């Protein structure tokens, strides 16, 4: 059959198909301004803290539910990013649908990187790094510059909030 329609009753929806849909609806994604602390990045010495937040990154919803501290090396520079890495394998224990089901997502992390990798996840790419901030450090202190998020909130229907600049 040449027609595939995964969003109909009793059909299978692959994660990649979901990613395409959400990426289209969110116009490429961005930070949710109404959840958590919007991934605010602060610094103390060589420790960079990424606060709570929710983002849509190339169709994948990502939530950071507690502050995360990342140590940056002295005399270095780079970026603090949310990395979507589809080369990694997610694992689970228990039975899907049962109370004992526990998934572990190995395909997303918040980290520091020396340079960005931004492959097209929707067309065969495997890694995409969403930049939260850049940093530069000397022997004992880092300075961070937050990324420039230009997201506007739009409401679609009555229950779905999306962020981006798509015109409806």
């Amino acid at each position: 059959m040449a027609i595939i329609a995964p969003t109909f009753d009793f059909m299978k929806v692959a994660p990649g198909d979901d990613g395409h849909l959400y990426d289209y609806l969110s116009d490429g994604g961005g930070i949710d301004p109404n959840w958590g602390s919007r991934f605010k990045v602060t610094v103390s010495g060589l420790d960079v803290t990424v606060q709570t937040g929710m983002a849509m990154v190339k169709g994948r919803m990502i939530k950071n539910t507690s502050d995360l501290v990342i140590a940056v090396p002295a005399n270095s520079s780079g970026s603090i990013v949310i990395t979507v890495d589809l080369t990694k394998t997610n694992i689970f224990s228990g039975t899907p649908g049962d109370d004992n089901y526990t998934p572990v997502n190995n395909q997303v992390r918040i980290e520091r990187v020396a340079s960005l990798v931004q492959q097209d996840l929707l067309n065969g790419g495997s890694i995409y790094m969403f930049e939260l901030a850049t940093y530069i450090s000397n022997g004992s202190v880092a300075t961070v510059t937050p990324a420039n998020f230009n997201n506007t909130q739009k409401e679609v229907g009555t229950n779905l909030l999306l962020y981006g600049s798509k015109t409806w």
Side-chain angles (χ1 to χ4, degrees), residues 60 83-90 106-109 117 119 121 124-128:
R60 276 72 177 177
T83 299
V84 175
D85 184 350
L86 302 180
T87 67
K88 304 295 183 190
T89 302
N90 292 333
N106 295 313
Q107 295 180 327
V108 65
R109 59 191 174 270
V117 175
Q119 298 171 352
L121 298 184
S126 298
I127 299 173
Y128 187 89

Side-chain angles (χ1 to χ4, degrees), residues 4-167:
I4 298 171
T7 58
F8 287 79
D9 291 343
F10 306 111
M11 298 292 109
K12 292 182 181 179
V13 180
D17 290 339
D18 256 358
H20 275 275
L21 173 63
Y22 296 135
D23 184 71
Y24 172 77
L25 292 174
S26 67
D27 197 27
I31 302 291
D32 182 339
N34 296 315
W35 197 94
S37 298
R38 299 191 71 208
F39 290 100
K40 182 178 179 184
V41 177
T42 59
V43 65
S44 176
L46 293 173
D47 289 333
V48 174
T49 300
V50 179
Q51 296 180 8
T52 61
M54 182 170 20
M56 186 70 72
V57 177
K58 296 301 174 188
R60 276 72 177 177
M61 185 179 80
I62 299 161
K63 289 171 86 172
N64 183 35
T65 60
S66 62
D67 291 357
L68 174 67
V69 178
I70 300 170
V72 299
N75 303 311
S76 68
S77 63
S79 298
I80 305 298
V81 299
I82 300 171
T83 299
V84 175
D85 184 350
L86 302 180
T87 67
K88 304 295 183 190
T89 302
N90 292 333
I91 58 174
F92 68 91
S93 62
T95 305
D98 287 351
D99 289 339
N100 69 347
Y101 178 69
T102 306
V104 176
N105 191 335
N106 295 313
Q107 295 180 327
V108 65
R109 59 191 174 270
I110 298 174
E111 63 185 341
R112 65 174 171 78
V113 296
S115 59
L116 294 177
V117 175
Q118 294 185 320
Q119 298 171 352
D120 186 352
L121 298 184
L122 304 176
N123 291 297
S126 298
I127 299 173
Y128 187 89
M129 297 174 179
F130 182 89
E131 187 172 66
L132 298 172
T134 57
Y135 73 88
I136 188 166
S137 68
N138 61 26
S140 61
V141 176
T143 303
V144 296
T145 303
N148 183 16
F149 301 120
N150 186 18
N151 297 308
T152 55
Q153 181 182 16
K154 62 179 179 268
E155 187 171 339
V156 180
T158 57
N159 296 319
L160 182 61
L161 291 178
L162 300 171
Y163 305 91
S165 59
K166 187 171 290 300
T167 302

